[in-house]
Structure formats: C-alpha cells, structure tokens
Amino acid sequence: MRAKGAWIGAYTGLLALMYLAGVRWFGDAPSVWQRPWQSAGALGLGVVALLLTYDWPWKEINYQDWRQNWTSGSALIVGNALAALLPIAAVCVAAREVRASRWTELDRVMVGLAPLCGVVGYSFNSTAVAQALFNGYLFALGLGALVAGIRWNKLGRVNAGLLALSALIVARFFDSDLSFLARGLAFILLGAGFLATNVVMLLRKGAAAA
C-alpha cells in the first residue's frame, strides 16, 4: 500500500484491534461505559466504514493526504509500517477469537475483515470498486451484529446492527434522486423497524425471565 492511503489500513486495523481487545478483556462487563475499548472501536469503525462508502475519501487520498509531500524519511516508514502491521494484527486476533467461539460470533468475524477490506479496496485503485466493497461490508457488518444480537438475546447488539444498516440505507437515499415523499416513508419504516425489533426483544427477555 502506498503511503498516500496508509491511513485506511492503519485506522481500520487500529479500530478493529480496539474492539477485539475490548471483547477479550471487558466482554462480560454489564454496561457500555464499562466496555470502553469495545464501544469506541465499534463506533469508530462504523463511522470510518460509512465514510468509505462515499467516493470523496478515495479520490482525495490521491492528492490531499498530509503525507503527499513526504517522499522519504521516518514519517513515511512509520506510516507504511502501521498500515501493514495493524491490519495483519487485527486479522490474526479476529481469527483467534473466531476459532475460540467456533464461528458463533458473527460480529467478530466482520470486525476482523474491516482492515482487509480497506487494504483490498485501496489496492484496486478504483473508486467504484472500493465504494462497492465498503457498501457490502457495512451491510454485512450490520447484519452480522443484528443476527448475533437476536441469537444471544442482546438488545445492544441488535440496536448496533440496526443502526449500521439504517445509516447505510439513509446515506444511499441521500445519494439517490428519490422524492421527499419516498425518503420520508423510508425514515418512517426505519423508525417502525427499530421500534418493532426492540419490542420483540424486550418481550423475549421478559418471557425468558419468567
């Protein structure tokens, strides 16, 4: 990976490692505030993945990156090293977690794939391919969190998955030429989906407690 796009691999790798470390060390904590690494990693990775579904990050890294004037020196070496090592470390940690959980934790699988998607997307040197890759990735990330939350009766994971899917849908709606009526109906349906899912999950928890 060239230094101009090193931040993609470095950021996705770092955020994925933060999430996976949080799962490993604070996974049993009862609240979000007691799982800071996991929460920060998930939120940051979701935001970065959403940004990378647009075309402007992929276009701007070719000529507006802060490293564009560095042709040699320590900054270039450190940037390339981080861009290479962080994704590799994240994928290795994710693979270990997946083997330990016997592929039951789909969200961990998807988080571990984030830096790999970043490296592959940049390597193609095609804005359209990179956008399509991260649109598919964010959809799979949200779906994986949603399925894992439903399977293990975790309302937080369900809402995180719904939030990721909703953010992707809303972003694509703003990119399209649909009317305000269609967009309004989409927002209403998304809100109804959130409400219905939370009601069902709460009823399931109540039934399990009884």
Side-chain angles (χ1 to χ4, degrees):
M1 181 184 296
R2 299 185 294 276
K4 291 180 181 180
W7 68 270
I8 297 175
Y11 288 172
T12 53
L14 176 62
L15 292 167
L17 280 175
M18 288 176 64
Y19 176 85
L20 294 169
V23 170
R24 185 68 179 271
W25 294 331
F26 308 106
D28 295 329
S31 69
V32 173
W33 303 109
Q34 293 173 311
R35 301 190 297 267
W37 286 22
Q38 188 176 349
S39 302
L43 180 61
L45 194 59
V47 171
V48 170
L50 181 62
L51 290 176
L52 292 175
T53 64
Y54 291 93
D55 60 352
W56 57 266
W58 301 99
K59 291 179 179 179
E60 290 184 358
I61 59 174
N62 290 325
Y63 54 88
Q64 291 184 356
D65 193 88
W66 68 272
R67 283 178 291 270
Q68 65 181 343
N69 294 322
W70 292 77
T71 56
S72 62
S74 59
L76 182 64
I77 295 172
V78 171
N80 282 330
L82 289 175
L85 294 177
L86 286 173
I88 293 173
V91 171
C92 290
V93 172
R96 181 178 178 180
E97 290 293 321
V98 168
R99 286 197 301 270
S101 63
R102 296 183 180 180
W103 292 88
T104 58
E105 300 288 350
L106 294 178
D107 50 342
R108 298 184 195 181
V109 178
M110 296 311 305
V111 166
L113 289 176
L116 185 61
C117 289
V119 173
V120 171
Y122 188 80
S123 299
F124 270 103
N125 199 25
S126 168
T127 299
V129 172
Q131 279 186 266
L133 182 63
F134 268 91
N135 274 283
Y137 170 75
L138 188 56
F139 177 81
L141 180 66
L143 188 61
L146 180 61
V147 170
I150 293 173
R151 181 172 185 176
W152 300 107
N153 203 22
K154 299 289 187 180
L155 186 59
R157 288 192 185 184
V158 170
N159 283 328
L162 286 172
L163 183 62
L165 293 173
S166 300
L168 179 61
I169 293 170
V170 170
R172 298 291 75 82
F173 264 110
F174 279 110
D175 283 348
S176 66
D177 296 326
L178 294 175
S179 65
F180 284 106
L181 177 60
R183 294 178 184 180
L185 289 174
F187 278 111
I188 292 173
L189 291 174
L190 287 174
F194 260 101
L195 181 61
T197 304
N198 278 269
V199 169
V200 170
M201 292 296 296
L202 290 173
L203 289 175
R204 286 182 60 183
K205 281 192 171 184

